[in-house]
Amino acid sequence: MLTIKRVPTVLSNYQEDAAGCGRNCLGDCCLPVSKLPLYAFKVESLPAVVSPSQGDLPSDFLLNTLLFGQWEDRMSRGLFRYDVTACETKVIPGEHGFIAQLNEGRHLKKRPTEFRVDRVLQPFDSAKFNFTKVGQEEVLFRFEAGEDDASCFFEIASVDKGVPPNVVAINVSPIEYGHVLLIPHVLECLPQRIDPESLLLALHMAVEAGSPYFRLGYNSLGAFATINHLHFQAYYLAMPFPVEKAPTKKIHIVQGLAKSLGVKISKLLNYPVRGLVYEGGNCLKHLADVVAQSCICLQENSIPFNVLISDCGGRIFLFPQCYAEKQALGEVSQELLETQVNPAVWEISGHMVLKRRKDYDEASEEYAWRFLAEVSLSEERFEEVKSYILEAIGTVEAEKDEMDSKVDEEESFHSTATVSTFPESCLVLL
């Protein structure tokens, strides 16, 4: 059994509570009789790049009015462990524009715990902290599929006992402004395991938010998920992530699920962490199905991974990784270990959350690249894992000779240019 000594991140003010409830929590004792704000999203199967009609709601209601408004309310009530808006942030000079943040509030001095890294799927353990123990004051709103042809908001709504609620709660140790947790079917106590339904829910949230600066992320066990209770993370950062600007190369598919559903799969180029990029799809559900089946393949083969949902749900990045395994085997340098940086989805995407002033002041592109390269699978192992994924989704890649004979202008464009939905005025120029 491979384990690493690590310091758990505090996601809730009740994470240390071992006692019973005695308050409004998200468990069976309290949630079914509660009334919470409800955002009901339109469920029509839309292409991933199209925002749904929101009826009488402004197009920016979910993000700017509801999420940010509720998040700032919790900040004014002192529910966060520190003021993340006071954290220093800079773009590291260089070609790729890695982002560094000094977040000393996440440098915790707590008793280390043993964490198993050789099993991506582990059973839910009710004796350990899970999100049913979160206090309802940390919850911003419920996020549920609606019944109308437009998105709706209800300031107070009873929890339907027959429908396990999805909740959006604050992360009390935020990485950035608006940092929240999306917890699907909280009362079902699902372990940290992606399935098509949960991934589709996360995509709907990205679409409803309607901003390329609001991303959702997922960390599997073994890839620095800290709580074995199904959840996604999300926050707002008004600049492009380096991985979003990285060039890609289309994988030519001759038949299979991805081709029939209109999903394009590419691989990252010129980036320190090898990964796959999914986009398109005949509808949002088709994109979610293909990506979810790819994740299920990794889960069942105990390959740790991270997922970034970008471009308002239009692009999804999938990163198989091996850093925790290397760490457990003693293959990571002491210099990198001393930073206590856990390379989860945000770090892999190029947003480096640093915990020590020294590391922040000395941050360089060479350091960021070298650190992230330790996270990546080798080229040989990545190609092997890629073949597992394509086989799992019933997809056949074109033979090399066939690919070489194709003249594909789309691939030429994607392999040499940056594709971005970000306003030009917000790009970081160095």
Side-chain angles (χ1 to χ4, degrees), residues 195-196 199-200 203 283-293 316:
D195 58 28
L199 185 60
L200 180 59
L203 290 185
C283 65
L284 202 63
K285 183 178 184 301
H286 289 173
L287 179 61
D289 285 346
V290 172
V291 178
Q293 291 302 322
I316 305 177

Side-chain angles (χ1 to χ4, degrees), residues 12-131:
S12 166
N13 289 315
Y14 299 95
Q15 198 155 324
E16 297 296 302
D17 264 4
C21 175
R23 56 181 170 77
N24 285 334
C25 70
L26 297 186
D28 281 316
C29 51
C30 300
L31 189 56
V33 294
S34 300
K35 293 185 178 181
L36 296 170
L38 169 62
Y39 186 96
F41 60 84
K42 182 179 178 182
V43 295
E44 179 181 324
S45 295
L46 294 164
V49 294
V50 178
S51 284
S53 168
Q54 294 185 312
D56 294 332
L57 296 178
S59 60
D60 64 348
F61 177 83
L62 174 72
L63 186 63
N64 289 337
T65 301
L66 180 56
L67 193 148
F68 289 164
Q70 293 287 310
W71 194 87
E72 289 183 356
D73 171 75
R74 302 315 188 272
M75 183 166 62
S76 69
R77 289 157 58 179
L79 297 186
F80 294 102
R81 300 181 65 251
Y82 49 82
D83 180 7
V84 72
T85 63
C87 292
E88 296 179 47
T89 296
K90 66 181 179 182
V91 176
I92 300 174
E95 174 187 354
H96 300 279
F98 291 106
I99 305 159
Q101 181 201 85
L102 176 61
N103 194 327
E104 294 171 300
R106 293 177 72 88
H107 187 66
L108 308 177
K109 298 179 180 179
K110 294 174 55 180
R111 182 179 61 83
T113 59
E114 294 293 332
F115 185 77
R116 188 163 183 174
V117 299
D118 57 348
R119 284 179 54 193
V120 171
L121 295 180
Q122 298 178 36
F124 181 86
D125 186 349
S126 60
K128 294 183 179 179
F129 173 79
N130 61 77
F131 296 116

Side-chain angles (χ1 to χ4, degrees), residues 216-219 223 306-308 319 321 343-350:
L216 287 93
Y218 176 90
N219 304 314
N306 308 88
V307 176
L308 176 71
F319 306 97
Q321 71 143 293
V345 61
W346 309 121
E347 287 77 15
I348 290 173
S349 301

